[in-house]
Amino acid sequence: MPKSLGLVALLALLWGASFPLLKVAVETIPPITAAGTRCLIAGLLLSALLGRDFRSLWSSGIPLRTYLAQSAFNCIVPFSLVAWASTSIDAALTTILNSLSPIFIFILTWAITRHEAATPRKFFGVLLGIAGVLTIVGPDALSGFGKNTLAELACVAGSLSYAIAAILGRRFDRESPLVPATGATLIAAAVLIPLGLVFERPWEAEPSMASLLAILGSGILSTGFAFVLYFYLLSTIGSIATASQAYLRIVVGVGLGVVFLGERLTAWHFAGLALVFAAVVAMTMPPRRLGT
């Protein structure tokens, strides 16, 4: 248990740092190009770590469609949405809105896979999480689209995409974590980089050194190493427990955004954050045993 908790905390640190890094990256690099470059750096790094075992990507017997699905829901869709959203909203807010994966995972597993009991307390947690999302988005969500509502909803959609990826990721349980991590990032790079070339004309951009370093750090740490750790945890502690790091990374992403990027949180954000934390407590707290 201590080892698992430590690894979950480390994953939260790596992924929590990705949001401030991405915020810096998209200041001078177009969002799809930034997402594709992040995946390319990670894919090349992981390919090097695989070395001669690189052929295990196709010799393992895992269908290409499985890699494609994992890449789509864990990289292509959420990375693009979050990168685009980061051009208009703070890193702290993107972190909070991307922390909802445990709630979505619970809903999907209850409705589809049914491998976990749906207790009233967990349903209450789901309702608290939804309330937290609405509170974070703010009153604009209730009175029509506000200035940044689309960007905020893009982050929520990215969180849903991560939830689907976590459920699908169980198909790689018997493989080395390096295998799905490498396959997913390389496929994402192969899709996103051409899209960036077509729609963003990145050769016209003038990336700053800060943006380039942010992309490098995001690719190596928050994507490459983080994905290996992520698939390891999926195979050892399961999707819901692994997704619990989403709430820990709020502290990381929000803290880094406030300290290094000078961002500020509103009362709506604090209230929504409290509701989200209450949701995860309600959903993950183990049931009491008789006599305890």
Side-chain angles (χ1 to χ4, degrees):
M1 181 63 73
K3 177 183 177 182
S4 296
L5 289 175
L7 293 178
V8 167
L10 177 58
L11 182 58
L13 176 63
L14 293 173
W15 270 352
S18 70
F19 299 102
L21 287 173
L22 193 56
K23 181 68 176 179
V24 173
V26 297
E27 289 178 351
T28 58
I29 300 174
I32 297 178
T33 301
T37 305
R38 169 186 179 181
C39 291
L40 179 62
I41 293 171
L44 293 176
L45 171 65
L46 296 176
S47 297
L49 292 177
L50 270 178
R52 294 181 179 179
D53 292 331
F54 184 80
R55 58 186 178 184
S56 61
L57 290 175
W58 57 86
S59 64
S60 62
I62 298 174
L64 177 60
R65 63 178 180 274
T66 302
Y67 283 115
L68 290 172
Q70 184 62 216
S71 182
F73 289 112
N74 216 5
C75 300
I76 298 171
V77 173
F79 284 9
S80 300
L81 290 174
V82 174
W84 173 76
S86 296
T87 62
S88 58
I89 61 177
D90 288 345
L93 185 53
T94 60
T95 306
I96 294 171
L97 292 174
N98 271 273
S99 69
L100 304 170
S101 298
I103 295 172
F104 288 128
I105 288 176
F106 171 75
I107 294 173
L108 291 173
T109 52
W110 168 79
I112 300 174
T113 65
R114 297 181 179 272
H115 67 273
E116 182 173 328
T119 64
R121 187 185 72 241
K122 290 180 179 179
F123 271 122
F124 180 62
V126 170
L127 295 177
L128 284 176
I130 294 173
V133 176
L134 294 176
T135 303
I136 291 168
V137 173
D140 285 339
L142 303 177
S143 59
F145 286 102
K147 179 181 178 181
N148 295 318
T149 301
L150 283 178
E152 292 161 351
L153 292 177
C155 289
V156 175
S159 187
L160 174 59
S161 184
Y162 283 132
I164 297 172
I167 295 173
L168 295 177
R170 295 180 303 158
R171 301 178 182 179
F172 297 99
D173 284 352
R174 297 181 180 180
E175 303 298 327
S176 164
L178 274 173
V179 173
T182 304
T185 51
L186 287 178
I187 290 173
V191 172
L192 291 171
I193 289 179
L195 287 177
L197 291 173
V198 172
F199 294 106
E200 294 179 335
R201 303 171 67 88
W203 56 86
E204 296 179 355
E206 297 181 359
S208 66
M209 181 58 65
S211 292
L212 292 174
L213 290 175
I215 282 290
L216 183 63
S218 178
I220 294 174
L221 299 175
S222 299
T223 309
F225 290 139
F227 265 39
V228 174
L229 183 55
Y230 166 78
F231 283 108
Y232 170 77
L233 288 172
L234 280 182
S235 66
T236 54
I237 64 175
S239 57
I240 295 179
T242 300
S244 66
Q245 55 78 30
Y247 296 96
L248 295 176
R249 74 176 181 238
I250 292 177
V251 179
V252 177
V254 172
L256 291 176
V258 170
V259 173
F260 293 104
L261 302 181
E263 299 176 352
R264 295 182 179 180
L265 297 180
T266 68
W268 286 106
H269 297 154
F270 282 112
L273 187 58
L275 286 170
V276 166
F277 272 118
V280 75
V281 169
M283 292 173 61
T284 61
M285 183 172 59
R288 290 186 179 181
R289 296 180 179 178
L290 295 178
T292 60

